[in-house]
């Protein structure tokens, strides 16, 4: 992601973008034949809606080209294999990975992190070795390391953030030591929106020969990511937050590293030969793709990437940045509302608390106005503890959101305050 | 739209949510249990003074939304002086109230009609299934305290 982006891009035609998303034209809470409220979808950080282009790519593949891949000698199998591998190449280009051999498909970003923990971690980490995380990690980038901790007696170190939610780079520098064997840090916080300085994080670790994993699930959605430029050793993201399908995650790994790692799961297309005397395994990425992979999903992700590229990642970033600024400004004017996470250059995510009203009550009431937000701790419980806020309300913006939808959010929050006399 | 909201957030609920009754830690409590909703982080401690099978005192502390706080507060009012069995029957009946249509309610044994009448204000939660866990959180904790367990999660049932 860029460290900063230009403000409003006047050329951005959000209405044209919205027309690509069928779900955005529906109403919610329809009653007895009466239309309800227009959907204001501000929960894209949890899962983004799908454009018609992705939906059609799924239908077309299933209707015309579907077959299992890599095994069949028949026409459809070859066609499906070609499209699947073209999808891998597209993801590689999307991340500017040096080769598609560095792209491993998993079930989710969570599984991709688990793969690294289970394969790289179990092989190369031993008792007393340290893994550095940050306090703003999603549970998916905490729990796999805790499982490894229980198994290998490794030590987890946590980089703090300041009151704005900016990663404490000095503390990070101090935590790096001879015992550090891996750094695993988010590229963009799903709660605070904080974008971490990935290039600096990687460079400081690499001075000591320590590999770095970035959780990019929120980052790839909001702007260009270049894994070679930031020099990531591992980079993970999920398809469904990038306007693609559920059930598909991506692990990028430097090929020389992937080659050193043993299989994580066994079976299916990841083998070279099997006998009861023993099994030999294929090279990466096949080595890490046991069983029939998510074929349709990879083709759908390729369509999602095409879609995002057709609009332009810089243009999307500028549009979302405008929404973030507008939302921050408008919400800041609401009495008793506190925004959690005010780092400069943050992604388009606004988490906030409202004095005297519990987020669950806020979520239920704004939903009646058609406004879909996330309430809770957003799978980042240590961060909620850090800011001593417990659950919060999170509005997350995507390429299809508008300033009018920000106004709808603010109006619904004001209605909550009136309802509760807060 | 607002009708449903008014049904969920009736004045009585808003009042109990803002001014919870029995929001304290009794010195002579001999049972306690923590109720936790892992989804939102809401936590309540329910304290009981249980003597010869009778709830002589019940109170709670913790934090939660308007629905869960009001439900906890009302619970402490209606189970005071009840036997453990009566309280459990009330819990099951209340649970049905929050989750089932009127005609689907099961027979959980004799319940205090006056208590159920008070609890009827929570019935609006039926229209908001995601909030059932809020409404029943403290009740789960009460149940756990009666059973001598020290904590319970609202994910365990509902």
């Amino acid at each position: 992601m860029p460290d900063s982006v230009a403000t409003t891009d006047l050329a951005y035609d959000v209405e044209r973008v919205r027309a690509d998303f069928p779900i955005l034209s529906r109403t919610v809470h329809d009653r007895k034949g009466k239309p309800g409220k227009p959907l204001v979808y501000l929960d894209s950080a949890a899962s983004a809606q799908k454009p018609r282009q992705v939906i059609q790519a799924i239908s077309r593949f299933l209707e015309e080209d579907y077959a299992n891949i890599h095994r069949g000698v028949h026409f459809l199998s070859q066609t499906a294999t070609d499209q699947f591998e073209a999808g891998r190449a597209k993801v590689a280009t999307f991340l500017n990975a040096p080769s598609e051999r560095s792209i491993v498909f998993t079930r989710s970003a969570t599984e991709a992190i688990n793969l690294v923990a289970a394969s790289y971690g179990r092989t190369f980490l031993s008792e007393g070795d340290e893994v550095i995380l940050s306090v703003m990690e999603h549970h998916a980038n905490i729990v796999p390391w805790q499982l490894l901790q229980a198994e290998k007696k490794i030590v987890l170190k946590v980089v703090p953030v300041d009151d704005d939610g900016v990663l404490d780079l000095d503390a990070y520098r101090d935590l790096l030591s001879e015992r550090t064997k891996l750094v695993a840090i988010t590229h963009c916080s799903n709660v605070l929106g904080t974008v971490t300085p990935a290039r600096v994080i990687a460079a400081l670790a690499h001075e000591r020969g320590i590999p770095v994993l970035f959780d990019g699930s929120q980052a790839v959605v909001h702007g260009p990511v270049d894994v070679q430029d930031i020099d990531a050793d591992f980079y993970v993201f999920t398809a469904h937050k990038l306007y693609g399908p559920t059930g598909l995650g991506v692990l990028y790994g430097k090929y020389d590293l992937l080659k050193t790692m043993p299989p994580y799961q066994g079976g299916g297309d990841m083998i070279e030969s099997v006998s009861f005397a023993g099994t030999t395994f294929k090279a990466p990425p096949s080595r890490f793709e046991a069983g029939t992979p998510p074929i349709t999903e990879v083709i759908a992700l390729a369509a999602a990437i095409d879609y995002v590229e057709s609009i332009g990642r810089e243009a999307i970033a500028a549009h979302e940045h405008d929404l973030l600024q507008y939302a921050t400004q408008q919400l800041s004017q609401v009495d008793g509302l506190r925004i959690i996470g005010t780092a400069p250059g943050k992604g388009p995510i606004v988490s906030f608390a409202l004095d005297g009203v519990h987020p669950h009550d806020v979520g239920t009431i704004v939903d009646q106005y058609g406004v879909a937000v996330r309430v809770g701790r957003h799978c980042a419980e240590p961060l909620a503890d850090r800011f001593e806020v417990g659950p919060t309300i999170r509005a997350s913006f995507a390429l299809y959101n508008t300033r009018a939808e920000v106004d709808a959010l603010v109006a619904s929050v004001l209605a909550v305050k009136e309802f509760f006399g807060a | 739209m607002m009708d449903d909201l008014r049904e969920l957030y009736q004045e009585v609920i808003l009042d109990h949510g803002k001014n919870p009754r029995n929001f304290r830690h009794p010195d002579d409590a001999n049972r306690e249990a923590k109720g936790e909703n892992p989804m939102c982080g809401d936590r309540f401690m329910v304290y009981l003074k249980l003597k010869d099978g009778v709830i002589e005192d019940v109170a709670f502390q913790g934090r939660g939304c308007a629905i869960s706080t009001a439900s906890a507060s009302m619970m402490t009012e209606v189970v005071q002086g009840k036997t453990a069995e009566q309280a459990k029957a009330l819990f099951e009946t209340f649970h049905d109230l929050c989750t089932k249509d009127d005609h689907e309610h099961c027979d959980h044994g004799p319940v205090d009609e006056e208590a159920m009448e008070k609890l009827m204000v929570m019935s609006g939660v039926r229209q908001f299934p995601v909030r059932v866990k809020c409404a029943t959180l403290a009740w789960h904790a009460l149940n756990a305290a009666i059973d001598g367990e020290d904590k319970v999660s609202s994910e365990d049932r509902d």
Side-chain angles (χ1 to χ4, degrees):
Chain A
M1 301 182 75
D3 292 337
S4 63
V5 288
T7 49
T8 318
D9 180 354
L10 295 174
Y12 193 87
D13 188 348
V14 70
E15 290 307 325
R16 212 173 106 191
V17 170
R18 288 177 67 80
D20 290 330
F21 290 81
I23 204 168
L24 297 181
S25 59
R26 70 160 292 175
T27 53
V28 293
H29 295 303
D30 300 355
R31 298 279 153 73
K32 292 172 190 157
K34 288 183 187 166
K37 291 282 180 182
L39 172 66
V40 176
Y41 189 75
L42 302 179
D43 195 20
S44 298
S47 197
Q49 298 299 344
K50 318 305 171 196
R52 189 175 282 108
Q53 290 82 342
V54 169
I55 298 166
Q56 287 174 344
I58 294 170
S59 300
R60 192 205 56 74
F61 179 68
L62 292 176
E63 287 176 5
E64 298 174 17
D65 292 333
Y66 181 79
N68 209 330
I69 58 168
H70 290 157
R71 297 167 181 79
V73 293
H74 56 79
F75 176 83
L76 278 187
S77 178
Q78 192 58 52
T79 303
T81 302
D82 291 346
Q83 291 181 56
F84 179 83
E85 290 304 331
R88 193 190 304 277
K90 193 169 294 282
V91 172
T93 306
F94 181 70
L95 292 177
N96 193 33
S99 159
E100 60 264 35
R101 293 187 307 164
S102 286
I103 303 299
V104 178
F105 290 120
T106 60
R107 191 170 51 86
S108 60
T110 300
E111 187 175 83
I113 296 172
N114 275 278
L115 190 164
V116 176
S119 174
Y120 185 88
R122 274 194 196 136
T123 308
F124 298 109
L125 271 62
S126 51
E127 185 170 344
D129 286 344
E130 295 175 358
V131 173
I132 294 181
L133 312 173
S134 88
V135 71
M136 59 186 154
E137 297 312 313
H138 189 280
H139 294 166
N141 198 27
I142 298 173
V143 183
W145 307 110
Q146 288 178 330
L147 292 173
L148 191 66
Q149 182 180 37
E151 187 182 322
K152 307 282 286 188
K153 297 190 171 51
I154 60 166
V155 178
L156 302 182
K157 300 276 183 175
V158 182
V159 186
V161 294
D162 69 14
D163 290 342
D164 288 325
V166 175
L167 189 82
D168 185 340
L169 264 183
D170 289 335
Y172 168 65
R173 204 178 276 115
D174 291 344
L175 286 176
L176 289 165
S177 78
E178 299 305 313
R179 305 283 355 221
T180 312
K181 290 292 159 63
L182 190 75
V183 173
I185 283 185
T186 186
H187 195 185
C188 178
S189 162
N190 71 315
V191 180
L192 307 175
T194 302
V195 177
T196 55
R199 203 182 296 114
V200 178
I201 289 168
L204 287 168
H206 290 162
E207 283 174 11
R208 292 173 174 269
I210 304 161
V212 180
L213 177 150
F214 290 106
D215 176 357
S217 292
Q218 299 294 340
V220 295
V221 184
H222 301 302
V225 168
D226 182 333
V227 291
Q228 292 190 78
D229 178 51
I230 59 182
D231 202 13
D233 299 278
F234 298 108
Y235 197 95
V236 308
F237 74 92
T238 185
H240 72 95
K241 292 177 182 173
L242 188 67
Y243 312 103
T246 52
L248 177 63
V250 170
L251 167 66
Y252 158 81
K254 283 182 179 169
Y255 195 68
D256 286 346
L257 263 176
L258 292 177
K259 272 198 306 188
T260 66
M261 292 160 52
Y264 154 63
Q265 294 172 338
D269 201 39
M270 47 81 76
I271 55 99
E272 239 168 23
S273 70
V274 177
S275 75
F276 285 107
T279 296
T280 57
F281 303 105
K282 281 186 180 169
S286 304
R287 182 186 299 171
F288 301 110
E289 294 179 351
T292 296
I295 305 165
T296 311
E297 287 75 8
V298 167
I299 282 146
L301 173 60
I305 289 174
D306 281 342
Y307 181 75
V308 166
E309 300 280 20
S310 74
I311 297 170
R313 285 198 270 176
E314 283 83 0
I316 293 168
H319 173 70
E320 292 174 343
H321 185 68
D322 174 67
L323 290 173
L324 172 69
Q325 282 192 317
Y326 183 64
T328 304
Q329 179 194 57
Q330 297 299 107
L331 287 169
S332 298
Q333 289 170 21
V334 176
D335 281 343
L337 186 149
R338 177 161 75 108
I339 292 175
I340 315 297
T342 47
K346 63 181 260 191
I349 288 171
V350 186
S351 290
F352 58 94
L354 200 58
D355 279 354
V357 192
H358 190 283
H360 258 188
D361 298 316
V362 177
T364 293
I365 293 173
V366 301
D367 175 60
Q368 293 294 311
Y369 289 84
V371 179
V373 293
R374 188 68 148 213
V375 294
R377 291 180 295 187
H378 320 298
C379 300
E381 205 172 321
L383 190 63
D385 293 341
R386 155 66 180 84
F387 284 92
E388 297 175 350
V389 286
T392 56
I393 304 131
R394 180 185 72 186
S396 52
F397 303 103
L399 52 80
Y400 40 63
N401 291 123
T402 65
R403 282 188 171 214
E405 289 181 313
V406 173
D407 293 337
L409 167 68
V410 174
S412 67
V413 169
L414 290 173
V416 172
K417 279 173 60 73
E418 193 184 336
F419 196 87
F420 278 91
Chain B
M1 176 190 70
M2 294 306 284
D3 289 349
D4 276 356
L5 275 182
R6 283 286 166 213
E7 202 177 328
L8 178 66
Y9 292 102
Q10 295 196 29
E11 286 301 330
V12 177
I13 293 175
L14 292 176
D15 179 46
H16 274 270
K18 276 184 190 160
N19 310 296
R21 324 303 198 251
N22 299 306
F23 194 81
R24 56 190 165 82
H25 185 174
D27 291 337
D28 55 353
N30 54 10
R31 295 277 180 93
E32 63 178 46
K34 181 162 79 171
E36 200 161 16
N37 181 345
M39 190 174 84
C40 60
D42 288 356
R43 290 186 184 104
F44 289 114
M45 286 298 299
V46 171
Y47 307 103
L48 286 184
K49 186 184 174 193
L50 194 63
K51 198 175 171 195
D52 301 328
V54 174
I55 298 170
E56 290 194 348
D57 193 13
V58 52
F60 80 108
Q61 286 183 321
R63 65 174 190 199
C65 59
I67 303 293
S68 59
T69 306
S71 181
S73 171
M74 294 174 74
M75 176 194 79
T76 61
E77 286 193 327
V78 298
V79 301
Q80 293 273 4
K82 299 268 187 308
T83 66
E85 287 69 30
Q86 286 170 331
K88 283 189 163 227
L90 205 50
F91 169 38
E92 296 298 338
T93 310
F94 175 69
H95 196 274
D96 286 353
L97 173 78
C98 294
T99 54
K100 295 176 178 169
D101 290 336
D102 289 342
H103 63 277
E104 291 177 332
H105 289 194
C106 304
D107 181 12
H108 300 292
V111 293
D112 182 337
E113 293 300 327
E114 198 182 328
M116 278 315 296
E117 218 164 280
K118 278 186 186 170
L119 295 173
M120 278 301 289
V121 293
M122 299 293 298
S123 63
V125 82
R126 263 205 311 259
Q127 305 304 321
F128 298 81
V130 75
R131 305 302 302 274
V132 170
K133 284 175 182 159
C134 309
T136 56
L137 179 58
W139 286 87
H140 283 300
L142 171 77
N143 213 35
I146 290 172
D147 290 342
E149 296 163 10
D150 59 358
K151 62 180 174 183
V152 67
S153 158
S154 62
E155 293 292 313
D156 295 345
R157 48 177 300 185
D158 292 323

